[in-house]
Amino acid sequence: MKLLKYILIGAVALNIVACDDDDKNDLKKTDPTKNNNVISATTIEANRFVYEIMADYYYWYNLMPNINYKLEKNTEDFFEKLKYSGDRFSFITDDAEAYKKEESGISTSKGWNTTFMLYEQGSDRVITMINYVYHNTPAELAGAKRGDIILTVNGKEQNKENYYDLFNESTTKYAAKRYNEKTQKYEDVEYTITSAEITTSPVAEHSVFETEAGKVGYLLYLDYYSEFNTELTSVFNSFKEAGIKDLILDLRYNPGGEMLAMRHLCSLIAPQENVANKDLLIWYDFNNKLNKLGGYDKASNATYFNSDLASNTLGLNRIIIITGSSTYSASESTIIGLEPYMEVYTIGATTGGKNTSMFIMTPDLFTDTQNNKPYFDSSINNWLIAPIVAVYYNANDKTFDPSNGIDPDFELKEYSFDYLGTLGDENEPLTAAAIEFIETGNIETEANKALNITRPIIKHDDKLGGSIIEIPTINK
């Protein structure tokens, strides 16, 4: 028996029957030096881990090609060969420990959130927009600011081939353009930053604004990590004590994460009655093998509001959510999950489009219950895979087309503004638009004029993000 003990973007623990034990025994009998003198026994075991997990859990397991894992020389390449062509999200890494640390907010980085863009249509040149700089990080200490457009890295232009490695070198000198709101011109700036191990909280910025409609809370939330649920509760308690009447939830840069964190967040927002009643938030449709084996249905295979938070919930009747092309997964399930229970308004750009859930799995999570020992050899415990395992729906059985994402109620193109403003400030363009909607029920002022601004349209390839965005002209 395989025992799954840990789920990242999922709802339930599963007990799934393993592949035939004869296959495992056959592996033990295989001498890789006779079979293929290039492939090590460790690689074959890692390949077996990938194959068996994908064959059992993968949503599109029935579309997997028939490949002999014992003959595959590279485990990552093997994983990619097994993936469905339309799968943009399943991933693998041989550094499970680094992934788990990042999930706890610990990473070796410079401390910022960025977007890579093509410089112009038809070009291979890549530039980088700084969206957010975490506090007390190397990036902030070096002087990097939100809105900086990085043009060169260590004196070199970025392109499709080198942009990621070049941008993320340990010690890096960046040359950028920064918009000066007073002069309304771009200025040259430079800074050198050395990566360091830092801890960053996804509960990034929170504020309370005084508006004509009463007090409004604002939260910039950057990842769904359950490690920070206590901090999240503390912020919402401060909102409650302040007596806010509305909430602006900023998910424009949030790529998703744990459903446990999503459940926690939604339980702090939704009407108290629904939270106290443990109403259904999101349910999951797995592949036909798992659904049949587990006897799953809508009621049993679901995430519900956390009634323990009923006294903490803001009990709002509506919420305004800021979205962008980097809004994915748990962020999108937050939007549709709350819709059956309250008015949900979105402002910004169409979301990235991920209506699927993943399991995060490492070899050490699986036990051979017959023999009371690990199912996979401990030599491959450094591997981690995250396959798509389910499509999610809300309580009204609604999902969305992942190729289109979720369109906003009010489309505001953030990168059309020369001055992006400060996140957590009421004058930041998209936040100001949200406040205007709260006060008037519509958006008519300067923020909406961004729809009519003519800018170079920059098309991402899939590797850079897979969306159409707009950036400011920088030759002023």
Side-chain angles (χ1 to χ4, degrees):
M1 180 74 73
K2 297 179 186 178
L3 178 61
L4 175 60
K5 300 186 293 185
Y6 179 76
I7 299 172
L8 180 65
I9 310 178
V12 293
L14 300 176
N15 291 309
I16 303 300
V17 175
C19 293
D20 194 285
D21 281 343
D22 287 341
D23 187 52
K24 184 179 179 183
N25 293 333
D26 183 53
L27 176 67
K28 291 180 178 179
K29 297 172 185 175
T30 301
D31 183 350
T33 61
K34 295 179 181 179
N35 180 43
N36 185 325
N37 59 14
V38 175
I39 306 175
S40 69
T42 302
T43 297
I44 292 176
E45 181 71 345
N47 292 348
R48 182 174 76 90
F49 164 62
V50 169
Y51 177 79
E52 293 198 9
I53 297 307
M54 294 287 280
D56 279 351
Y57 294 92
Y58 193 45
Y59 189 73
W60 298 285
Y61 80 94
N62 56 326
L63 299 179
M64 282 167 41
N66 185 16
I67 301 175
N68 187 342
Y69 67 80
K70 299 175 186 177
L71 302 180
E72 292 297 309
K73 300 177 182 179
N74 184 289
T75 300
E76 291 181 351
D77 291 345
F78 175 51
F79 177 79
E80 293 299 322
K81 291 178 183 178
L82 295 178
K83 284 170 54 178
Y84 162 56
S85 60
D87 178 4
R88 293 183 288 154
F89 301 105
S90 296
F91 67 88
I92 186 171
T93 176
D94 64 353
D95 193 349
E97 194 60 35
Y99 181 88
K100 292 174 182 177
K101 288 178 71 174
E102 184 175 347
E103 180 189 323
S104 299
I106 303 170
S107 63
T108 299
S109 67
K110 297 181 173 68
W112 51 21
N113 178 293
T114 60
T115 294
F116 296 102
M117 309 174 182
L118 295 182
Y119 184 68
E120 59 187 1
Q121 288 180 326
S123 171
D124 283 341
R125 185 180 177 188
V126 173
I127 60 176
T128 308
M129 176 73 78
I130 299 178
N131 299 319
Y132 179 73
V133 179
Y134 288 90
H135 299 302
N136 301 314
T137 61
E140 184 181 59
L141 295 174
K145 294 186 181 298
R146 166 172 161 80
D148 287 357
I149 302 170
I150 294 175
L151 301 179
T152 65
V153 181
N154 287 334
K156 301 177 183 177
E157 290 185 355
Q158 302 172 89
N159 57 49
K160 286 185 178 182
E161 298 300 321
N162 70 11
Y163 78 95
Y164 187 82
D165 291 336
L166 187 62
F167 189 82
N168 289 288
E169 289 180 2
S170 179
T171 298
T172 316
K173 183 178 181 180
Y174 300 96
K177 292 285 186 179
R178 177 179 296 167
Y179 187 73
N180 185 318
E181 188 182 21
K182 293 181 179 179
T183 64
Q184 296 187 353
K185 294 181 179 180
Y186 282 91
E187 300 172 346
D188 294 322
V189 293
E190 289 186 350
Y191 30 79
T192 299
I193 309 174
T194 299
S195 298
E197 184 170 282
I198 59 176
T199 300
T200 54
S201 169
V203 188
E205 302 285 347
H206 56 91
S207 309
V208 174
F209 308 129
E210 295 281 356
T211 76
E212 294 178 7
K215 293 183 178 180
V216 175
Y218 169 90
L219 171 65
L220 174 66
Y221 191 50
L222 296 178
D223 284 289
Y224 285 77
Y225 291 156
S226 60
E227 293 266 347
F228 297 89
N229 282 353
T230 300
E231 183 179 350
L232 198 58
T233 302
S234 178
V235 169
F236 273 78
N237 286 342
S238 70
F239 286 157
K240 196 166 187 174
E241 290 173 5
I244 69 167
K245 303 299 182 183
D246 281 282
L247 176 67
I248 301 169
L249 176 61
D250 195 338
L251 301 177
R252 73 183 85 176
Y253 308 127
N254 194 314
E258 299 176 54
M259 277 297 184
L260 287 174
M262 176 268 190
R263 176 197 188 207
H264 194 91
L265 176 63
C266 290
S267 298
L268 290 169
I269 294 171
Q272 188 174 47
E273 179 182 4
N274 301 117
V275 177
N277 288 342
K278 300 182 182 179
D279 286 336
L280 190 151
L281 185 56
I282 290 290
W283 67 276
Y284 310 88
D285 177 39
F286 289 91
N287 66 41
N288 58 358
K289 183 188 295 188
L290 292 185
N291 283 338
K292 181 178 179 180
L293 183 65
Y296 296 126
D297 56 26
K298 176 179 175 180
S300 63
N301 194 30
T303 293
Y304 295 84
F305 287 109
N306 182 359
S307 61
D308 292 340
L309 296 173
S311 62
N312 300 96
T313 187
L314 296 177
L316 299 175
N317 293 316
R318 72 174 178 182
I319 184 170
I320 293 82
I321 300 178
I322 297 177
T323 61
S325 60
S326 297
T327 303
Y328 282 97
S329 192
S331 292
E332 293 167 306
S333 66
T334 295
I335 295 169
I336 69 168
L338 290 173
E339 283 181 349
Y341 306 106
M342 59 195 303
E343 297 177 22
V344 178
Y345 298 95
T346 52
I347 294 173
T350 300
T351 65
K354 183 175 182 288
N355 68 335
T356 51
S357 296
M358 308 164 75
F359 286 161
I360 302 300
M361 291 181 272
T362 52
D364 58 302
L365 300 180
F366 297 87
T367 301
D368 180 346
T369 54
Q370 272 190 331
N371 299 305
N372 193 30
K373 63 180 182 180
Y375 186 78
F376 297 103
D377 191 84
S378 61
S379 64
I380 64 164
N381 283 348
N382 58 302
W383 286 96
L384 177 151
I385 63 173
I388 296 294
V389 298
V391 173
Y392 61 76
Y393 300 80
N394 70 9
N396 293 337
D397 299 336
K398 173 186 175 180
T399 188
F400 56 91
D401 181 354
S403 64
N404 295 325
I406 301 173
D407 289 329
D409 296 308
F410 295 91
E411 183 183 24
L412 296 179
K413 300 173 183 178
E414 178 180 32
Y415 298 119
S416 292
F417 296 94
D418 284 316
Y419 183 65
L420 297 188
T422 300
L423 295 173
D425 186 288
E426 59 190 314
N427 295 313
E428 184 275 321
L430 270 63
T431 304
I435 292 173
E436 182 185 2
F437 173 75
I438 290 170
E439 292 178 333
T440 69
N442 205 353
I443 300 175
E444 296 289 349
T445 55
E446 290 298 316
N448 207 29
K449 292 181 181 179
L451 290 172
N452 300 316
I453 294 176
T454 301
R455 299 291 185 198
I457 295 179
I458 310 303
K459 183 173 177 29
H460 288 192
D461 62 14
D462 284 340
K463 191 173 182 183
L464 298 178
S467 59
I468 302 284
I469 61 174
E470 294 185 356
I471 64 168
T473 52
I474 56 175
N475 57 353
K476 295 182 179 180

